[in-house]
Structure formats: structure tokens, C-alpha cells
């Protein structure tokens, strides 16, 4: 029987985990495949991991993965994906804004032969500022970097094992969904309404700084536009400079013109050219720092512990181990830590 892995990155989501497992169990009972839930604690400072272990003790489908520190949402999802044993892996957030019941429809598309199934937001019930900025960000990425990106954005997706094997060979941990679309597998799109975050689940830890970082990472990973724009700006400034120098030379030699040297005009020229140069250096730096990260080949995540109760094991046995990813998913899948 085929296995479906549901990967859930967790960061300060202790309040919603029990409700999420209840809804996932209801879904699993209605599907012909077996299910496992891989919860990945991304360095939470609340009791998220304790709740994960409690759920793992009570439910054999649950596997609790603890990262050594906070590596970020993309890295946590990658850790869960590479720990998953399933023939297909579904990545979903822990706050229940994305409905787990939609996984059933996504599985239908997967059974029909699609290797990638994206749950795209047709609408969202979020604060107006969040909605506006998110829509603008996704439209910007779609137009400037990833044309195949769904218009409303997407974090909720299903990937076949074949796609996961391709992604495991890449070394771009910050690329996120863009890397999935880059593979070229035709995605099936399932539209849904993103729910409002329930107040008793706490506030979102997806801060503005993280959103901006994600936007820059995705844009730089899949677009050469900034570098080309910097080149065009440099050519334009150089052309203007040469044209002005030619005009001054012609005026002095042939028209006997006298130019009054002005401190203000000199400062304006210096500030404009200097600002353009610094902008270009900054753009180059964004690309170079990511090249440096890739060259270092540091693992995108470090797993401190994997916890899962297996009826065949001694429930009193508890082991700790550290794994630096990427890792072989099926090898980790065979290690039941109880």
C-alpha cells in the first residue's frame, strides 16, 4: 500500500497541533493510502516540541523531528521532506489556515498522474495590509521571476517521490517553491480560500522581515533582472557623462564658452554616480552572498532528534542523534526513535 507523508513545519504552534492531528486523522480514514505525519520543530521557544512528543506517543502516525536551532521555514520543510518515507509528500502549515481536508482533492490529482499538485489561494481572509502586500509580492514574482507561479501564491503543495528525488540533488535551500516549478513538471492547481488565523492559536511568527527576506531570496534565485538593470543604468550614466563632456569640449573650443565651476553641480554629479555605484555593488552582493552560501555547502538544517513510537519497540527506549541534511529520506525513515 502506498504511503502519504504530511510534512508540517512547526514554529510556536503548540496551540494548533492537536486540532491539526484530529483533522488529519479524519482525512486519513477516508483515503485508501497509509499516512504518516512528520512534524518538524524549527527551534520553537514554546512547548511545541513537548506537544509533538505527546502526540507521537499517542498516535503511531506522528513523527516528531527536532532541529538543533531555528533554521527558517524553508529549511524546516526540507528537513521534513527528507525525513519523509512516503510515495508522495504534502507540505502544509501548522496554523490551520490551509484546510487539511483539501489534501483529499490533491491526492485525486496525484492518482491521475500529476507529479506536482499546488493548492493556490483564490482568496484569503487576512488583515487588509497582509492581503495587499502578499498579492503584490506574488504578482511581482510571477511577472519578474517565475511566470508559472500561481497568481495568489502557494505554500501548500503535494510532491511525488520522483520530484523529491530531483530536489534532493539541488543545493538551493532558499529557493522554496520556485525550485519545484523550476523542475518543469506540469503542476495541477487546486484553488481554495485561505482561512483567518484563529485567535486562540496565537499570532503568526511570519514577521515582515522574514517575508521580505523570502521575497528577495526567491527573486534573486530565479531572476537576472537586477544585474541587467544595473548594467543598463551604468551604460545610461556613462553615456550621459560622455555626452556632457563632449558638449563642454565643443562649447569651449568652438564657442568660446566659459563655465562657472559650481560646488552644488559637482556634488549632485558625485552623489548620483556614487549612489548608482553603491546600488550596483549591493545588487552584486545579493547574488554573491548566495553563491558563497552554495560554495560553502553547509547543510540547510541539523536534526537533533527524531521521535516516534513503534509498537514493536521498547517504549522506554529513547535515543538522541544529530543529522546534518540533506539526508537520505528512506534511511532516516527506518529509524524509529521511541
Amino acid at each position: 500500500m502506498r504511503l502519504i507523508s504530511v510534512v508540517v513545519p512547526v514554529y510556536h504552534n503548540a496551540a494548533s497541533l492537536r486540532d491539526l492531528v484530529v483533522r488529519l486523522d479524519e482525512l486519513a480514514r477516508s483515503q485508501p493510502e497509509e499516512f504518516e505525519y512528520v512534524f518538524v520543530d524549527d527551534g520553537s521557544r514554546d512547548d511545541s516540541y513537548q506537544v509533538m512528543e505527546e502526540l507521537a506517543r499517542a498516535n503511531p502516525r506522528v513523527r516528531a523531528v527536532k532541529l538543533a536551532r531555528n533554521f527558517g521555514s524553508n529549511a524546516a520543510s526540507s528537513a521534513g521532506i527528507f525525513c519523509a518515507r512516503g510515495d508522495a509528500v504534502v507540505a502544509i502549515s501548522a496554523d490551520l489556515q490551509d484546510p487539511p481536508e483539501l489534501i483529499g482533492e490533491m491526492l485525486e490529482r496525484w492518482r491521475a498522474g500529476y507529479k506536482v499538485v499546488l493548492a493556490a489561494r483564490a482568496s484569503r481572509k487576512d488583515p487588509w495590509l497582509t492581503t495587499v502586500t502578499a498579492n503584490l509580492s506574488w504578482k511581482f514574482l510571477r511577472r519578474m521571476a517565475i511566470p508559472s507561479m500561481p497568481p495568489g501564491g502557494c505554500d501548500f503543495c503535494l510532491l511525488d517521490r520522483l520530484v523529491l528525488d530531483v530536489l534532493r540533488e539541488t543545493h538551493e535551500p532558499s529557493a522554496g517553491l520556485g525550485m519545484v516549478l523550476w523542475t518543469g513538471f506540469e503542476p495541477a492547481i487546486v484553488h481554495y480560500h485561505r482561512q483567518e488565523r484563529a485567535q486562540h492559536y496565537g499570532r503568526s511568527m511570519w514577521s515582515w522581515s522574514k517575508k521580505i527576506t523570502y521575497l528577495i531570496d526567491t527573486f534573486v534565485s530565479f531572476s537576472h533582472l537586477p544585474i541587467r538593470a544595473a548594467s543598463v543604468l551604468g551604460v545610461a550614466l556613462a553615456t550621459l557623462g560622455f555626452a556632457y563632456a563632449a558638449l563642454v569640449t565643443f562649447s569651449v573650443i568652438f564657442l568660446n564658452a566659459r563655465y562657472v565651476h559650481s560646488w552644488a553641480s559637482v556634488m549632485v554629479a558625485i552623489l548620483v554616480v556614487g549612489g548608482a555605484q553603491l546600488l550596483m555593488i549591493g545588487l552584486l552582493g545579493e547574488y554573491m552572498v548566495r553563491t558563497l552560501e552554495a560554495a560553502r555547502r553547509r547543510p540547510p538544517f541539523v536534526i537533533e532528534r527524531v521521535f516516534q513510537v513503534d509498537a514493536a519497540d521498547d517504549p522506554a527506549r529513547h535515543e538522541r542523534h544529530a543529522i546534518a541534511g540533506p539526508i537520505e529520506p528512506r534511511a532516516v525513515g527506518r529509524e524509529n526513535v521511541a
Side-chain angles (χ1 to χ4, degrees):
M1 181 176 292
R2 295 194 290 185
L3 177 67
I4 306 300
S5 300
V6 180
V7 170
V8 185
V10 176
Y11 187 60
H12 292 231
N13 296 115
S16 63
L17 295 180
R18 294 182 180 88
D19 291 344
L20 176 58
V21 169
V22 169
R23 291 173 66 173
L24 287 174
D25 277 343
E26 291 177 357
L27 168 75
R29 286 191 290 268
S30 66
Q31 303 298 320
E33 294 86 4
E34 293 288 340
F35 276 73
E36 69 168 0
Y37 318 140
V38 184
F39 289 88
V40 183
D41 177 47
D42 187 25
S44 300
R45 293 184 297 276
D46 64 354
D47 58 347
S48 291
Y49 184 72
Q50 287 72 25
V51 173
M52 288 162 53
E53 279 201 0
E54 175 187 325
L55 291 169
R57 293 182 187 278
N59 190 331
R61 291 191 177 110
V62 177
R63 180 183 300 176
V65 178
K66 180 177 177 58
L67 301 187
R69 62 171 176 83
N70 178 252
F71 286 89
S73 178
N74 279 341
S77 296
S78 297
I81 287 172
F82 284 108
C83 285
R85 299 171 295 180
D87 299 284
V89 174
V90 179
I92 186 173
S93 61
D95 54 16
L96 288 172
Q97 288 188 264
D98 300 330
E101 293 76 15
L102 194 65
I103 295 175
E105 186 175 348
M106 297 168 73
L107 287 172
E108 290 179 6
R109 304 296 180 91
W110 175 65
R111 297 184 196 111
Y114 285 97
K115 305 300 182 185
V116 175
V117 183
L118 306 179
R121 306 181 189 105
S123 59
R124 55 194 301 158
K125 193 174 182 180
D126 284 320
W128 71 269
L129 182 59
T130 299
T131 300
V132 170
T133 53
N135 289 339
L136 289 175
S137 298
W138 290 116
K139 286 180 180 178
F140 174 76
L141 289 177
R142 178 180 171 87
R143 183 174 182 84
M144 298 296 182
I146 312 173
S148 56
M149 179 74 71
C154 177
D155 301 312
F156 184 9
C157 62
L158 179 149
L159 306 177
D160 184 82
R161 174 57 60 182
L162 176 63
V163 181
L164 297 176
D165 290 341
V166 173
L167 294 178
R168 196 173 63 233
E169 300 301 321
T170 66
H171 302 284
E172 295 187 51
S174 63
L177 177 65
M179 206 67 219
V180 174
L181 298 174
W182 172 88
T183 60
F185 292 99
E186 181 184 1
I189 308 295
V190 176
H191 296 280
Y192 75 102
H193 173 71
R194 180 176 170 85
Q195 300 294 323
E196 184 179 12
R197 186 187 183 97
Q199 291 186 357
H200 60 278
Y201 291 155
R203 65 182 183 88
S204 173
M205 302 302 291
W206 188 237
S207 63
W208 286 103
S209 61
K210 292 179 180 179
K211 294 175 183 177
I212 293 172
T213 299
Y214 178 80
L215 176 64
I216 294 174
D217 282 343
T218 305
F219 180 58
V220 170
S221 296
F222 295 96
S223 176
H224 297 155
L225 179 62
I227 296 294
R228 291 170 181 167
S231 300
V232 171
L233 179 59
V235 170
L237 288 175
T239 301
L240 289 175
F242 284 123
Y244 183 70
L247 176 62
V248 170
T249 302
F250 178 83
S251 299
V252 170
I253 294 176
F254 296 101
L255 302 179
N256 251 347
R258 294 184 180 181
Y259 284 85
V260 179
H261 297 286
S262 170
W263 178 85
S265 61
V266 172
M267 286 303 299
V268 168
I270 291 174
L271 290 174
V272 170
V273 175
Q277 290 175 336
L278 290 175
L279 174 62
M280 295 175 191
I281 292 172
L283 291 174
L284 288 172
E286 291 291 337
Y287 285 89
M288 290 180 65
V289 71
R290 286 159 180 79
T291 303
L292 177 61
E293 289 174 356
R296 284 173 172 164
R297 298 183 65 84
R298 291 176 180 173
F301 54 83
V302 177
I303 295 175
E304 178 182 325
R305 182 187 307 171
V306 179
F307 184 96
Q308 184 176 27
V309 172
D310 193 319
D313 290 336
D314 178 3
R317 183 168 61 87
H318 188 88
E319 297 179 358
R320 295 185 178 213
H321 62 283
I323 304 171
I327 53 180
E328 174 59 42
R330 297 187 185 277
V332 172
R334 288 193 293 267
E335 296 180 17
N336 294 319
V337 180

